[in-house]
Amino acid sequence: MKCRRCKAPALIDVRRHNAAFCADCFVHHCQEQVRRAIDAFDMLHPGDRVLMAVSGGKDSLGAWELLVALGYETDGLYLGLGIGDYSDASGRYARDFAAERGLKLVEIDIPAEHGFDIETAAATVRRPPCGACGLSKRHLFNQAALDGGYDVVATGHNLDDEAAVLFGNVLRWDAEYLGRQYPVLPAGPGFVRKVKPLVRLSEREMAAYCVIRRIDYIVEECPMAEGNRHLAYKEALNLLEQKSPGAKANFVFSFLERGHARFAGDAEAERVELTPCAVCGSPTTGEVCAFCRMSERARGRHQADG
Ligand code: Q46
Ligand code: ZN
């Protein structure tokens, strides 16, 4: 196997592209994929201040490094979820990554700053942990970006993540979610832009990128991920991908090119009629936003339990 770009012995093959690369050219390939995603979806503009949400895992740390390599002014944001040893360890990886490269890491600790943890919040609102976690992340990422004067929040969702979410949305034909599934969500009043620069890179490519670039990341999955439906969707899609390389990318990018626009109206309807939350000021459809309602109840329970 020879590197497609320089003809040196190849180290990794990317079947979807029918190509193999040596270490240096693979790094170039990953940068190219990110650059193409940014261009195609108009994710970032020169001079943007980017806040990269990092979990300590391969995707977000790799994405942070890729954005910096491409010349974007990018600080990291680490959210402490209060998930026991997992949170302690993932925070250490994020901090070490930033310190070793002289990058700035903004940190928010939910238990210390908001008085609850994800498990308690999930129990209070009777949602699966990932629902309570996702709600908290969306709210706090946006808030941190507004507070810090950032133009955009970037997240480490890769091609496999996007394919799994799309698969789930299609299985339910959830028009509103399909309308919102796009690698860039524009800014609006009270919302900064959200982008997913890894949409053209797979989980396997990100793992290889981190090994080649010597990025030390947390390998364990979040203990709450078990039972998460997305894991089953990923397995199903991996099976398809094995039989027909490129199936995942085709599924996602054909949707973005030809399907998404048909659902955009369903997501738009959601955004109208927003007023500031009486507690935190972020745009919401009710009087108090979902995050503030959940955190208030979770705080009460956290204290009662504690
Ligand atoms: S951190 Fe949060 Fe994930 Fe853990 S609780 Fe679920 S959503 S699995 S990316
Ligand atoms: Zn609020």
Side-chain angles (χ1 to χ4, degrees), residues 81 83 86 118 129-131 133-134 137 222-226 228:
L81 304 167
I83 306 180
Y86 170 76
I118 292 303
C130 295
C133 183
K137 283 179 181 171
C222 168
M224 310 264 183
E226 248 177 80
N228 187 324

Side-chain angles (χ1 to χ4, degrees), residues 138 165-166 168-170 172-182 185 255 259-272 274 285:
R138 280 193 298 280
V165 170
L166 178 61
N169 289 342
V170 166
R172 290 186 301 279
W173 286 112
D174 189 321
E176 192 188 308
Y177 276 42
L178 285 167
R180 251 186 286 159
Q181 183 163 5
Y182 207 66
L185 284 181
F255 165 73
H260 174 263
R262 297 173 190 236
F263 296 96
D266 294 278
E268 271 308 295
E270 250 270 291
R271 275 210 172 193
V272 292
L274 294 179
T285 46

Side-chain angles (χ1 to χ4, degrees), residues 155-208:
T155 54
H157 296 101
N158 58 38
L159 177 60
D160 295 67
D161 298 321
E162 290 307 289
V165 170
L166 178 61
F167 197 51
N169 289 342
V170 166
L171 283 177
R172 290 186 301 279
W173 286 112
D174 189 321
E176 192 188 308
Y177 276 42
L178 285 167
R180 251 186 286 159
Q181 183 163 5
Y182 207 66
V184 53
L185 284 181
F191 294 109
V192 300
R193 196 182 332 135
K194 317 268 162 31
V195 302
K196 297 173 180 170
L198 298 187
V199 65
R200 297 184 59 91
L201 287 165
S202 68
E203 213 151 283
R204 179 170 165 271
E205 284 165 290
M206 287 314 294

Side-chain angles (χ1 to χ4, degrees), residues 123-146:
T124 337
V125 294
R126 289 170 217 253
R127 282 217 215 179
C130 295
C133 183
L135 168 64
S136 306
K137 283 179 181 171
R138 280 193 298 280
H139 180 88
L140 295 169
F141 289 171
N142 189 62
Q143 198 61 51
L146 291 172

Side-chain angles (χ1 to χ4, degrees), residues 139 277-282 288-292:
H139 180 88
C277 163
V279 179
C280 73
S282 20
V288 175
C289 77
F291 176 78
C292 287

